[in-house]
Amino acid sequence: MRVLAINDLSCVGKCSLTVTLPILSACGVECTVLPTAILSTHTGGFTGYTFHDLTSELPAILAHWKSLGLKFDFIYSGYLGSIDQIELVSSIKKEFLAENGTFIVDPVMGDEGKLYAGFTAEYVNAMKALCAEADYILPNATEAAFLSGVEYPLTRENVDKALVELSKLSLPVITGVKDGADICVFFSGKNGGKYSFTHENVEGFFCGAGDVFASAFVACLARGKHTAEAIYLASEFATAAIRRSAKEVPDKKYGLSFEKEILPFVLSLQSLDKNA
Ligand code: PXL
């Protein structure tokens, strides 16, 4: 199974490609990368960061890949720096996704009720169109509210409305919905049913947690897990990394301390293998 990850390279502050590559490799999944931008740090909490947009480089990279006849079993897109890049991802899916391949969109746009720096309502609309082409979408509670029009904060009560709206686009997996002292991931089944997994919430803002969850989810799918198993394993892994970071990482903008949680995650993934 070969995965193409389309995401930025933030040099400092673990997120996007610096999270995806180690997780997929450790899971035994081959990961090709298409970097959308290179930043000195990610944009969440740092000031003065550099941002070099790589849009103009991408067509030549893609032309070369086309000449090699490359196709991908999974295409996973994350942080996209502009509407032009959203449109390019749509054409990459059409050109490079293998027959019966899976397209996963993490509509990275915001957190804690707000859009990240540089994102607009027009961008949200373009992202919504990309979501409509995906097999799975992985918004956090903020992104789900922006995409569905349901008022933030999402709760156990109004998340149903968001799931129904987002199911019109794709199969939604909504992370980070707070419920009292707990935090839940909600998802719709192909039959329209509503499902969730719940963990005890750890207070605070954990940058890059969505990327850890999404990368682990993609790894699980690529290893042949069903949707619910993949969501369960990825949410256990992300929660373990968040708990560790609450203790070990003094400045949360530097990202999750996920590395030492990779081995238990890979072991849990293998223990579910049919031939293990
Ligand atoms: O983890 C999400 C993310 C990814 N990439 C960049 C970001 C952020 C969140 O702030 O700034 C560049």
Side-chain angles (χ1 to χ4, degrees):
M1 289 291 159
R2 186 192 271 149
V3 173
L4 169 61
I6 307 174
N7 218 330
D8 70 272
L9 179 58
S10 289
C11 299
V12 166
K14 286 173 276 180
C15 68
S16 15
L17 290 180
T18 61
V19 161
T20 301
L21 266 174
I23 292 175
L24 286 174
S25 299
C27 290
V29 177
E30 181 181 340
C31 181
T32 298
V33 297
L34 189 64
T36 53
I38 180 162
L39 297 87
S40 53
T41 66
H42 64 66
T43 68
F46 292 97
T47 52
Y49 51 83
T50 68
F51 185 109
H52 181 66
D53 187 341
L54 292 173
T55 309
S56 63
E57 189 63 20
L58 301 183
I61 295 175
L62 296 168
H64 184 208
W65 289 1
K66 194 171 172 186
S67 77
L68 299 173
L70 293 179
K71 293 277 177 189
F72 301 97
D73 305 296
F74 293 83
I75 296 182
Y76 153 45
S77 72
Y79 183 97
L80 304 171
S82 63
I83 292 175
D84 283 353
Q85 284 195 348
I86 293 178
E87 287 164 359
L88 190 61
V89 169
S90 164
S91 65
I92 293 171
K93 181 226 166 180
K94 290 182 184 91
E95 181 83 46
F96 290 98
L97 189 62
E99 214 175 308
N100 299 319
T102 306
F103 180 38
I104 300 130
V105 172
D106 183 355
V108 177
M109 296 188 293
D111 220 325
E112 302 200 303
K114 292 193 238 48
L115 292 177
Y116 292 134
F119 292 134
T120 60
E122 201 190 349
Y123 183 95
V124 174
N125 276 336
M127 185 56 89
K128 206 166 158 175
L130 186 66
C131 286
E133 296 180 32
D135 297 293
Y136 295 93
I137 53 175
L138 312 177
N140 62 26
T142 299
E143 292 149 357
F146 275 101
L147 289 169
S148 66
V150 173
E151 203 180 328
Y152 185 86
L154 292 192
T155 60
R156 188 169 276 284
E157 285 68 45
N158 68 3
V159 76
D160 288 26
K161 259 204 247 164
L163 282 175
V164 168
E165 278 310 305
L166 296 182
S167 295
K168 293 176 190 163
L169 303 174
S170 181
L171 208 149
V173 180
I174 306 179
T175 57
V177 178
K178 291 194 183 134
D179 184 30
D182 292 333
I183 190 141
C184 313
V185 51
F186 285 93
F187 57 106
S188 294
K190 287 205 171 100
N191 56 5
K194 169 186 150 191
Y195 304 92
S196 63
F197 294 115
T198 298
H199 294 91
E200 198 181 323
N201 187 32
V202 179
E203 272 313 318
F205 171 54
F206 293 90
C207 219
D211 299 333
V212 170
F213 172 81
S215 303
F217 174 73
V218 173
C220 289
L221 290 185
R223 287 285 301 262
K225 300 292 165 260
H226 297 303
T227 303
E229 284 176 326
I231 295 168
Y232 174 73
L233 291 170
S235 64
E236 288 285 312
F237 173 45
T239 304
I242 287 170
R243 277 199 210 103
R244 178 182 283 278
S245 309
K247 288 192 222 118
E248 292 182 1
V249 183
D251 189 346
K252 305 292 182 271
K253 66 178 179 290
Y254 284 90
L256 287 193
S257 181
F258 67 95
E259 295 86 347
K260 292 198 181 78
E261 297 301 335
I262 290 182
L263 182 59
F265 167 58
V266 173
L267 292 174
S268 64
L269 177 60
Q270 278 174 349
S271 73
L272 288 187
D273 277 352
K274 293 201 174 50
N275 303 322

